[in-house]
Every structure is written in C-alpha cells, then in structure tokens.
Amino acid sequence: MTLYPWLEPAAARLKASRAAGRLPSALLIHEAPGTGARQLAVLFAQLRFCTAAEAPCGQCTHCRRVAQGEHPDYIVVGPDEKSKLGQISVDQARDIAQQLSLSSYEGRGTVLVIDPADAMNRNAANALLKTLEEPRPDAHLVLLTTQPSRLPATIRSRCQKLAVAAPDREAALA
C-alpha cells in the first residue's frame, strides 16, 4: 500500500510499535481534514494481521483482504444511517462492545475502526468506555477524528494518540 508522503512519520511510529510488540489496544488518530487517516487505519489492521516478518507485506491474504475491506476481523463503523443528526448511536456503541468481547473469526485478533469518532453522541461514548477500560487482549479500537476536542476527556485519556498534520502545499500538489 502506498501512503501519502506526509503519513510516513505516523506509519513509522505504528511499524515501530508492532516491531516492539506494543500495538495499542486503543488508538486515536487526529488528522487535519482530508489528510488520509483512513490509510493509517488500514495500515494498522495490516500490521496487526500480516503474517510476514516485515509487515505489512501487502501480498499475504490478510493484507489484501484488509485493503479490499473484506477481512472479517477488520470492521469499520460510521454514523447510523437512520440518524438524522449523523451520529453514532448508543446501540452501535453497544454492538461495538459486543463485537470486541467475542473472539475473532480467524484467531488473529480484531481491529475495529470508528470513523469519525467525534460523531458518537454522549451516550455512545459512555457505552464505549468499559470496552476501552477492559479491552480483550487481541482487540484493537482505532478512532479517527478531525476534532478530538468533541470526544469526552475520558475517551481521549484511554487512547494512544497519533496526530497527522496537514501537508504543505507543495507536498499536497505533488
């Protein structure tokens, strides 16, 4: 997978975390709007599932299925389609907690992405807290947001943070 050049420092941090055996159970990716945080979420899942020594290889079944959005243990949750306000509902948050409490389909863990995390309403954020406080050992929650201040402090404090700055004009045009 080819990343935007400005994502390389963040990607290097994630790769170093994997090499050290310390991928976080909760990761909050704070991006400037439109800078490609979704690519980092895919990279994170590939790092978690890839079987190659130098992950992500991009060639194994896991890497390819994550990139295509077809891996059963890579789940992306967005705002409830029934919500008139475009929010992530408390029912969705409960479903997330339920999903992360179960064992993974393929035995390599679960990566669940909430995009955008700041779309969670207060009740949904509160329902998610228990999952963040007591995660299953092989479950990972990745929160993507452009406005972390809209997330409750209790959520932010339980996540490892990864900021993605906007590229300069020349890098973006290239």
Side-chain angles (χ1 to χ4, degrees):
M1 175 170 86
T2 304
L3 293 174
Y4 296 133
W6 56 86
L7 295 177
E8 289 299 333
R13 280 187 54 197
L14 291 176
K15 290 175 183 177
S17 293
R18 182 195 191 258
R22 295 180 175 230
L23 281 176
S25 60
L27 177 66
L28 175 65
I29 300 176
H30 169 210
E31 69 165 329
T35 55
R38 286 177 190 88
Q39 286 187 332
L40 289 176
V42 169
L43 174 72
F44 184 92
Q46 288 176 328
L47 287 169
R48 178 65 185 93
F49 299 136
C50 185
T51 54
E54 193 68 33
C57 69
Q59 303 303 315
C60 71
T61 304
H62 296 290
C63 286
R64 287 195 323 266
R65 289 191 307 165
V66 166
Q68 295 167 353
E70 296 175 355
H71 198 288
D73 294 319
Y74 175 64
I75 304 156
V76 179
V77 175
D80 188 351
E81 294 173 2
K82 298 176 220 160
S83 171
K84 293 177 182 167
L85 300 174
Q87 294 182 331
I88 294 173
S89 68
V90 67
D91 290 334
Q92 286 178 285
R94 289 182 183 136
D95 289 344
I96 289 168
Q98 175 69 24
Q99 184 73 36
L100 291 180
S101 70
L102 302 173
S103 60
S104 62
Y105 289 102
E106 296 189 359
R108 300 195 58 79
T110 305
V111 174
L112 194 141
V113 178
I114 301 177
D115 181 23
D118 52 82
M120 283 189 290
N121 64 33
R122 177 75 56 193
N123 293 332
N126 288 336
L128 193 63
L129 272 177
K130 179 115 172 116
T131 303
L132 287 171
E133 291 169 350
E134 301 171 15
R136 188 180 87 219
D138 64 348
H140 302 273
L141 191 59
V142 179
L143 307 173
L144 305 180
T145 184
T146 58
Q147 300 176 18
S149 61
R150 292 187 57 197
L151 291 169
T154 52
I155 297 279
R156 291 191 315 261
S157 68
R158 287 165 176 79
C159 298
Q160 182 176 323
K161 290 147 192 82
L162 184 62
V164 179
D168 59 31
R169 180 173 166 74
E170 292 76 30
L173 290 174

